[in-house]
Amino acid sequence: MGKNTEIADIFDKIADALEFKGELVFKVNAYRKAARVLREFSGDISAIHPSEIEGIGKGMVEKIEEYLKTGRIKKYEEVVADIPDGLLELLNIPNLGPKTLQLLHKELGIKNITDLEKVINEGKVAALPGMGEKKEENIKKGILLYKTGRARIPLATALKVVREVINPLFAIAESISPAGSLRRMKETIGDIDILATGEETGDIIEAFVRQAYVKEVIAKGDTQASVRTSYENLQVDLRVVEKESWGAALLYFTGSKAHNIKLRGLAKDRGLKISEYGVFKGTKKIAGKTEEDVYKVLGIEWIPPELREDRGEIEAAMEGKLPVLVRQDDIKGDIHVHSNYSDGMDDIEKIAMAAKRMGYEYIGICDHSKTSKIAGGLDEETLKKRTEEIDRVQEKIKGIKILKGMEVDILSNGSLDYSDSVLEKLDFVIGAIHQGFTKNVTERMKEAMNNPFIDIIAHPTGRLLSGREGYNINIEEVMEYAAEKGVVLEINASYDRLDLNDTNILKAKSYGVKFIIGTNAHSAGMLLDMELGVGTARRGWLEKKDILNTYRWVDIPLRRRRR
Ligand code: DGT
Ligand code: CA
Ligand code: CA
């Protein structure tokens, strides 16, 4: 959707193809970086000169112009010319890299996922030079993850799409809202459900199916339609309902199904019937216009969508004990942000300005430590330079406090990547596992928590929504120890992480753990991922007091373990 994303997709595909062909890493990365910058860029690329976008090199500018002028990029057609259709798609399988794919294609002639599954089942992959049974087993696992993962899309992607779908309809519809799992802020979304109401039902449906992003109209009726989007190939369902039923319909189509079923039982107990049209006493409709009305006639207060999973929310509402969930505007700062001193794209000044515009009181610059070499980890010398840079920027920018933090690697023996004297000078320390995902992770994390300088554990399970399973870890043991030691667990809000997730948050809270939401932003634009973290925290029933970055910096209960 939008030219930026179209071009970014093509750049990513060029990078895949070059990688498959064994091209030099820096050439591949040039395309990856340009793709990332384009995705981050919020303006209209055809309205400005592409060279005005920071971080886009000359070669890329030419290709962007070529696309804007001709609708294609010759380089792309060249690089994929001798690669079978669909082969590069297999690079989305976890544990299957371009080198291996090249080998499998050359030696075994695989062209698609069916071929791949066949040669694996015949044991042919393990027999190849440099492969072996372990690697074969990993690819097999990857295929499983790929197949289950493809069916659902990350929340971040769905949110982006739903905004593009809803915006043009605001003018025509009286009310319009996302429903389904998206409104509940679930970490992955099956399909996107949208509900609208308005005088001109037909006009709303027509406007919906005629948008530029629609690739295919799957179904179209008088009051509903389903389309597939060209971007990400997503199914979007729109239902237009009567104004009098808006609340009941929104409640019904928001779900979850389990929540609806429980509500239906509750209605029955009270001699009422509930449906997507309203709440009925006999044949008389007694509620339905708003969600609040519907809950009210059932004798309970309105339940926030993020809680509607039948995890005790209806019982809590009946007792008047619903949590007061944390909100985006409770958040006073983001302290997990990478600058261009390590692998971030933006400089400290740009990040600080963006954070100030978001209304934050503080922003924590948090780069990688020296062992994370591929992520541009800082040695002690560079860290000193960064400290001076932060002081310099702080002199210049008022109204936001810039904090000096680091995401410090937890090493193979559980020690931290810097000496205590270095850690001592930092405003906060986030410990993270970046190497050795299978070896003694639980023990290493616990050992790291014995260090008084560690304040927070980053992305505690290490899983990725795109398919990485995460660390081999006993997460309950880590939660229990974190609570005992007063170490905070992160809710990493990065679109591919959401780690801890909702169920782990609930578990951790029961151990008495405190949380902090960090975006792990690698550019100023990614500070906006905070929304995903807040949604996830709300799904985990968290209130303002559970989350440390709702505190002012002077009051924040961090660094206490140092004293
Ligand atoms: P998804 O799309 O798999 O991420 O999950 P949802 O929750 O969006 O599910 P979806 O799209 O199948 O249906 C949207 C909502 O409609 C769902 O959350 C609750 C409601 N719904 C769908 N089917 C049923 C049903 O058979 N019974 C009840 N009570 N509600 C249903
Ligand atoms: Ca859905
Ligand atoms: Ca649906």
Side-chain angles (χ1 to χ4, degrees), residues 152 180-182 184 186 188-191 193 252-257 260-261 264:
R152 304 187 64 80
S181 50
L182 182 60
R184 305 197 311 277
K186 214 172 150 175
T188 60
I189 308 297
D191 66 359
D193 303 283
Y252 181 86
F253 289 110
T254 295
S256 66
K257 199 169 158 180
N260 289 353
I261 291 171
R264 206 178 304 150

Side-chain angles (χ1 to χ4, degrees), residues 191-193 237 239:
D191 66 359
I192 297 179
D193 303 283
D237 295 342
R239 292 180 185 82

Side-chain angles (χ1 to χ4, degrees), residues 494-508:
S494 169
Y495 66 96
D496 198 21
R497 289 191 182 270
L498 302 181
D499 177 13
L500 298 173
N501 68 1
D502 53 357
T503 50
N504 276 323
I505 292 169
L506 284 163
K507 224 183 272 174

Side-chain angles (χ1 to χ4, degrees), residues 22 27 32 69 136 185 312 322 353 366-367 430 473 550:
K27 290 195 182 165
R32 293 252 188 262
K69 216 180 285 166
E136 184 182 83
M185 296 292 273
L322 278 175
M353 288 305 294
C366 189
D367 287 299
I430 304 183
I473 193 180
T550 63

Side-chain angles (χ1 to χ4, degrees), residues 276-336:
E276 61 195 281
Y277 301 105
V279 184
F280 297 85
K281 190 171 206 161
T283 53
K284 190 173 179 267
K285 182 163 162 178
I286 58 168
K289 206 163 178 190
T290 69
E291 279 192 336
E292 284 82 357
D293 292 348
V294 173
Y295 281 115
K296 199 170 166 196
V297 296
L298 298 177
I300 56 181
E301 48 179 323
W302 180 83
I303 299 176
E306 294 92 335
L307 296 182
R308 301 183 194 169
E309 298 289 345
D310 189 21
R311 292 176 183 153
E313 72 279 7
I314 292 174
E315 291 82 350
M318 286 169 76
E319 293 172 26
K321 284 185 181 156
L322 278 175
V324 180
L325 298 180
V326 61
R327 293 163 21 151
Q328 171 84 38
D329 58 10
D330 292 327
I331 302 293
K332 294 208 167 48
D334 185 348
I335 69 164
H336 190 163

